[in-house]
Amino acid sequence: MEQTNSDSIVGTFLAINVLAGFLISPIAGCVTDKFTRRNVIIGTFLIRAVPSGSID
């Protein structure tokens, strides 16, 4: 909110985030069936850390 000064941008971002979670759920289920839960958690953390680290 402080960076954008726009409620609609923040709301849109949150809605996209929720929809992405719903869409990835079936794929995540298959991945966790093939790999251990620990490795999946570490992998997803690293995948999220890279873009987060590039944000200024």
Side-chain angles (χ1 to χ4, degrees):
M1 282 289 294
E2 293 175 7
Q3 292 179 347
T4 62
N5 293 325
S6 173
D7 294 337
S8 62
I9 291 174
V10 174
T12 302
F13 177 76
L14 292 174
I16 290 170
N17 193 14
V18 170
L19 288 174
F22 285 134
L23 293 175
I24 202 70
S25 293
I27 297 168
C30 293
V31 170
T32 54
D33 287 343
K34 292 183 181 183
F35 301 101
T36 63
R37 184 183 300 179
R38 179 180 181 270
N39 289 341
V40 172
I41 291 171
I42 291 171
T44 56
F45 176 78
L46 292 174
I47 291 169
R48 288 184 352 188
V50 171
S52 296
S54 67
I55 295 174
D56 209 17

